[in-house]
Amino acid sequence: MKVGIIGSGGREHSICQIIKKSNKVEKIYCFPGNAGTAQIAENINIDLENFENIKNLIINKEIDLVIVGPEKPLVEGIVDYLRRFKIKVFGPNKIASQLEGSKIFTKQICEKFNIPTAKFGIFKNIDDVKKFLKKTNFPIVIKADNLASGKGVYICEEFNEAINAVEEIFTGKFGKAENLLIEEFLKGEEMSFFTIHDGRHFKIFGTAQDHKRVLEGDRGKNTGGMGAYSPSRLISDELEKKILNKIIKPTLQALSEIGTEYQGFLYTGLMIVNNEPYLIEYNVRMGDPECQTILPNLKTDLYEIFIACCEHSLDKIKIEWLNKKSLCIVLCSKGYPEKIKKNVEISNLDNLKLDKSNFLFHAGTKLENKKIYAIGGRVFNFVSLSDDFASAKKNIINNISALDWSEGFYRKDIGYKVIK
Ligand code: AMP
Ligand code: GLY
């Protein structure tokens, strides 16, 4: 079978590498992929906004299954578009993708179904915000309503900081924003909870904790993610039940009431406060780098899981895991998440020790004349599976040292809550 993967990050490289293990998969195309996918699949450089071109390529190459990695094409309706041409595609439709595309859509579902989440208000202009801020208690959380690659969220300690955030959002720093949300600050520990859905059934697809801030000690600017570990240290049978019953099932019910269904990965971002889950956000895709962290632990054939999701038969599949501890550290270009140098060559990749427990997934890289160049902020994901997080981390640090890339940096404290 021929598989097409849309996206170019570490998440997509990990999907590519893990699905390639299936004996049903004979060829993979990545749209557009990166230097990592180029070594195991065929990259096709294409503009992800041009759905018609993507559709023509899928038909011409006779691709049997398409997997959409990132949120942007999902929120813009690529799944609905491709299905019109009878293309088998894994991912949620445009309406369901509003769970990530519009924070207000999700908050309204929370209100209607009593889903635990931070208290919130919606604002359309700066004057109303100012009035509200004058009588509120800090800290508060301010969020752009639109997609902002995880960066449109501000945790504000005082009035001036909040005003600055509001100005940045309304002047379009994260794209056009007509609404913003102000939320109560929830104090607890975060956890990412993943499920996979076929529209009628769903299964749990692991838990993780990512480190979103750029600096050690979880300080500094928010990023796409500097590293992660899986499973989350917080998960228990009791908490899992609460998450399913109080959050995920009511959300699926809400989608069904508006006449749609959910197919694809669902990433539930939670704050756990005194063992109670609160919904922080939904993402309608796997997390990055959580996907890279979770997939190496999968025993079941990933291709068969995706096909089952496209055919409403996920209930027939048993998803099995190695149950190892998995850690991922992201190696970034110096300067990330601000300005970085592009097209910096990376050598020494042959020095790495990679095997069935140690993985390198590329993110912002390109292959040109047999050389590899860094072209993005997040460059590589080093993942290691082990019986304990400490040795997984040691394996990763050994590989990063062997790479010895002077233009890169990484957080040395990934997993500090689970490593003594
Ligand atoms: P989001 O893009 O909504 O996931 O927010 C990014 C990050 O901001 C989250 O991962 C949390 O660390 C933090 N955050 C968002 N909302 C809240 C909240 N209501 N209370 C505390 N922290 C929050
Ligand atoms: N790691 C956070 C995200 O994928 O949104």
Side-chain angles (χ1 to χ4, degrees), residues 103 118 141 143 150 153 155 183-187 190 212 222 271 280-281:
K103 293 185 190 294
V141 185
K143 299 183 179 182
V153 176
I155 294 170
E183 275 184 23
E184 154 200 33
F185 177 79
L186 293 173
K187 199 165 159 25
E190 275 181 78
K212 289 202 177 77
N222 255 322
M271 189 69 84
I280 294 268
E281 63 162 352

Side-chain angles (χ1 to χ4, degrees), residues 296-310:
N297 238 328
L298 181 68
K299 273 212 273 192
T300 309
D301 184 318
L302 184 57
Y303 175 80
E304 289 193 358
I305 297 176
F306 287 145
I307 287 290
C309 287
C310 294

Side-chain angles (χ1 to χ4, degrees), residues 11 150 210 212 224-225 267 281 283 285-290 378:
R11 171 181 48 216
D210 75 337
K212 289 202 177 77
Y267 165 161
E281 63 162 352
N283 295 307
R285 51 173 173 83
M286 267 312 270
D288 182 336
E290 293 95 325
R378 295 192 292 169

Side-chain angles (χ1 to χ4, degrees), residues 71-133:
E71 63 277 15
K72 194 161 178 279
L74 291 169
V75 170
E76 287 166 359
I78 194 165
V79 167
D80 314 57
Y81 178 80
L82 295 179
R83 283 195 187 135
R84 273 200 262 143
F85 299 91
K86 305 265 179 290
I87 292 169
K88 201 171 261 182
V89 47
F90 175 82
N93 64 35
K94 188 171 182 176
I95 294 179
S97 297
Q98 289 299 299
L99 287 178
E100 176 165 3
S102 166
K103 293 185 190 294
I104 292 173
F105 174 85
T106 300
K107 283 291 196 189
Q108 282 164 345
I109 290 179
C110 290
E111 264 188 337
K112 189 162 169 212
F113 286 81
N114 261 321
I115 295 173
T117 185
K119 291 196 201 77
F120 69 102
I122 298 166
F123 296 85
K124 287 188 179 300
N125 65 70
I126 195 153
D127 293 331
D128 290 347
V129 181
K130 274 186 184 156
K131 271 185 230 151
F132 173 81
L133 289 177

Side-chain angles (χ1 to χ4, degrees), residues 170-355:
F170 278 143
T171 53
K173 184 163 179 190
F174 307 101
K176 197 169 173 324
E178 281 174 8
N179 297 300
L180 63 72
L181 246 86
I182 299 191
E183 275 184 23
E184 154 200 33
F185 177 79
L186 293 173
K187 199 165 159 25
E189 190 170 326
E190 275 181 78
M191 174 173 130
S192 308
F193 189 88
F194 298 92
T195 43
I196 186 165
H197 301 245
D198 74 358
R200 294 176 196 160
H201 320 92
F202 72 91
K203 300 225 155 149
I204 294 171
F205 208 78
T207 61
Q209 159 79 70
D210 75 337
H211 293 270
K212 289 202 177 77
R213 305 288 200 96
V214 69
L215 299 179
E216 280 162 27
D218 293 325
R219 292 171 306 110
K221 291 220 149 70
N222 255 322
T223 69
M226 299 294 292
Y229 59 89
S230 171
S232 156
R233 67 172 187 154
L234 301 174
I235 195 65
S236 65
D237 289 347
E238 186 199 353
L239 184 59
E240 182 179 293
K241 252 191 222 126
K242 287 181 189 166
I243 295 165
L244 296 176
N245 292 332
K246 295 184 177 189
I247 298 179
I248 293 177
K249 287 180 186 168
T251 303
L252 297 175
Q253 175 65 24
L255 292 180
S256 145
E257 285 185 16
I258 56 171
T260 196
E261 57 175 35
Y262 198 92
Q263 189 250 61
F265 285 119
L266 181 64
Y267 165 161
T268 306
L270 301 159
M271 189 69 84
I272 311 299
V273 187
N274 301 324
N275 208 34
E276 286 297 323
Y278 289 80
L279 179 67
I280 294 268
E281 63 162 352
Y282 277 126
N283 295 307
V284 295
R285 51 173 173 83
M286 267 312 270
D288 182 336
E290 293 95 325
C291 187
Q292 299 87 301
T293 317
I294 289 175
L295 281 186
N297 238 328
L298 181 68
K299 273 212 273 192
T300 309
D301 184 318
L302 184 57
Y303 175 80
E304 289 193 358
I305 297 176
F306 287 145
I307 287 290
C309 287
C310 294
E311 294 175 350
H312 295 299
S313 60
L314 189 58
D315 56 327
K316 309 270 179 340
I317 293 232
K318 184 164 191 298
I319 302 184
E320 292 184 289
W321 302 93
L322 295 172
N323 291 323
K324 296 276 183 194
K325 305 279 191 265
S326 179
L327 193 92
C328 169
I329 299 182
V330 181
L331 184 65
C332 301
S333 298
K334 279 182 185 164
Y336 178 74
E338 304 286 326
K339 218 172 144 44
I340 57 150
K341 260 197 267 175
K342 283 204 174 177
N343 297 309
V344 184
E345 194 187 335
I346 306 166
S347 37
N348 293 341
L349 280 156
D350 291 340
N351 292 353
L352 304 185
K353 278 206 187 99
L354 304 176
D355 52 31

